[in-house]
Amino acid sequence: MTSSISPKIAIVGYGSQGRAHALNLRDSGFDVTVGLRPGGPTEAKAQADGFVVKAPADAVKDADLVAVLTPDMVQKKLYDDVLAANMKPGSVLLFAHGLNVHFGMISPREDLDVVLVAPKGPGALVRREYEIGRGVPCIYAVHQDKSGKAEEFALAYAGGLGGARANIISTTFKEETETDLFGEQAVLCGGASSLVQAGFETLVEAGYQPEIAYYEVLHELKLIVDLFYEGGITRMLEFISETAQYGDFVSGPRVIDASVKARMKDVLTDIQNGTFTRNWQAEYDAGLPNYRKFQQADKDHPIEKVGKELRAKMVWLQANAAQPDTDDANAKRTAAA
Ligand code: NAD
Ligand code: MG
């Protein structure tokens, strides 16, 4: 740990991020208590990992720093009903995503420091990288600095997560929130899965075997993304054939053309002006009717069936399979919570 401050930490929520943060911070020498609703779905897991688990109101009472790691859509109620009344005067309120503060759903008490520490990776990776002595890059921001030490608290927390071993970059709640939403919508989750499905459909509709299509547009994507990750697009180009490179140059921009970029800008505008968050909140409040429909459609897509059959034959995949950290898994837990 690089910082000398060692706040007593309460982690509220023990899902993807909560578990990874709690374990890494404890291993880094912090005093960590976990706050969960008694009888909730992750209580047993936190206890099995050796944590003292208390109801959120009790867990945060004597904490110097409270990390809010519940799903975004329950954070306002949690803050308004529990945290606002129970957090110690002058303590630190920490988020892993700026959504609720940036869009004004949560207005934190004036005596609190309010910070953000967002690892740029799912919780399972935050834990795995820490265990092997590396770290996931973290970005941090300060929304409210009552103590004059808010940045120091954020850096101590990020360091305890293992982020210092990788890279820690300063940002703002606005930048983190808007870029995080854009990334997951346009490129990482929404963009990538729709690209894969469209590629699969194109091949299968043209009469090619689904098994071959699966390998071409989904399975091999990992090999390409690993090269991006290691050395950018340059490294990917070094590893593919001249023919593949020429095809990349002439056909990539035909598929992802200016009209796609224009729609990406529309997506970004909806994020920036709060339309996306308003719609998501309304959907959540209505009990997720469309969300469930979309989720089912993804699960029912023909690429899932053929993928399941093919993956069963690739035994090495089972051993390395990550725990579900997706928003799907989050929503399932939320629904079950
Ligand atoms: P999650 O759905 O995996 O886990 C949520 C946890 O909160 C569970 O333990 C659940 O039982 C608990 N919970 C639900 N409602 C609660 C309540 N009312 N009171 C107390 N506990 C409650 O969540 P997650 O994906 O880890 O997301 C947590 C935060 O981290 C969010 O702000 C999210 O945006 C952010 N984040 C997530 C990721 C990711 O990869 N999943 C990455 C970066 C940041
Ligand atoms: Mg995100």
Side-chain angles (χ1 to χ4, degrees):
M1 224 186 308
T2 46
S3 176
S4 55
I5 51 174
S6 191
K8 192 172 175 335
I9 297 174
I11 304 265
V12 184
Y14 202 73
S16 173
Q17 291 294 325
R19 177 166 194 263
H21 291 210
L23 292 170
N24 290 7
L25 290 162
R26 183 174 67 184
D27 289 349
S28 294
F30 288 94
D31 177 344
V32 177
T33 302
V34 174
L36 287 170
R37 292 152 308 164
T42 49
E43 186 185 23
K45 200 167 187 188
Q47 282 163 343
D49 288 335
F51 287 104
V52 174
V53 181
K54 298 179 178 171
D58 295 324
V60 307
K61 264 187 183 124
D62 54 6
D64 305 311
L65 184 152
V66 173
V68 182
L69 299 176
T70 66
D72 295 307
M73 288 296 120
V74 308
Q75 291 180 5
K76 177 184 167 49
K77 190 166 162 46
L78 176 72
Y79 178 80
D80 291 346
D81 294 357
V82 179
L83 304 188
N86 289 287
M87 280 180 68
K88 251 186 13 188
S91 54
V92 183
L93 180 61
L94 180 145
F95 295 88
H97 182 34
L99 188 88
N100 280 282
V101 170
H102 175 60
F103 286 113
M105 280 90 79
I106 293 179
S107 309
R109 261 170 32 200
E110 278 180 10
D111 62 294
L112 302 174
D113 285 356
V114 182
V115 302
L116 167 84
V117 174
K120 290 288 100 183
L125 194 65
V126 172
R127 181 57 183 162
R128 207 182 319 140
E129 287 289 296
Y130 184 92
E131 284 180 306
I132 55 183
R134 302 191 304 220
V136 167
C138 284
I139 65 178
Y140 77 96
V142 173
H143 173 74
Q144 194 166 292
D145 185 8
K146 184 69 188 180
S147 70
K149 287 191 191 162
E151 183 176 19
E152 209 182 322
F153 279 111
L155 288 171
Y157 189 98
L161 287 186
R165 296 162 173 167
N167 199 4
I168 299 182
I169 299 175
S170 163
T171 185
T172 59
F173 272 63
K174 172 180 163 58
E175 184 176 57
E176 186 278 335
T177 302
E178 294 173 358
T179 56
D180 187 74
L181 293 172
F182 178 79
E184 66 201 17
Q185 292 177 26
V187 180
L188 305 177
C189 311
S193 59
S194 292
L195 184 70
V196 165
Q197 288 170 340
F200 179 85
E201 289 165 14
T202 303
L203 286 175
V204 172
E205 284 164 18
Y208 299 102
Q209 296 180 67
E211 290 79 6
I212 307 260
Y214 175 85
Y215 278 119
E216 284 305 329
V217 306
L218 189 150
H219 183 82
E220 284 197 49
L221 186 58
K222 172 174 169 41
L223 313 173
I224 296 299
V225 170
D226 283 349
L227 294 168
F228 286 177
Y229 188 75
E230 287 164 13
I233 290 170
T234 302
R235 186 167 173 83
M236 188 275 286
L237 292 174
E238 285 164 6
F239 272 77
I240 65 175
S241 69
E242 287 175 339
T243 307
Q245 283 189 63
Y246 178 70
D248 168 327
F249 303 146
V250 298
S251 298
R254 279 180 75 187
V255 174
I256 309 295
D257 64 3
S259 75
V260 173
K261 208 167 140 192
R263 288 191 297 280
M264 282 188 172
K265 284 185 180 156
D266 292 345
V267 166
L268 182 60
T269 300
D270 279 0
I271 290 168
Q272 290 169 326
N273 66 24
T275 302
F276 169 78
T277 300
R278 256 193 317 280
N279 290 345
W280 172 214
Q281 182 76 59
E283 172 70 13
Y284 190 88
D285 293 344
L288 302 171
N290 297 300
Y291 178 104
R292 287 189 214 289
K293 248 184 282 162
F294 295 139
Q295 191 176 50
Q296 197 56 47
D298 269 347
K299 288 182 180 170
D300 292 342
H301 192 280
I303 200 171
E304 297 309 301
K305 183 168 176 284
V306 66
K308 202 170 171 201
E309 288 159 13
L310 292 174
R311 287 190 301 272
K313 296 180 192 154
M314 297 185 273
V315 283
W316 66 92
L317 288 180
Q318 322 308 327
N320 294 329
Q323 294 304 307
D325 273 343
T326 57
D327 282 341
D328 268 19
N330 294 347
K332 249 182 284 145
R333 279 191 294 267
T334 310

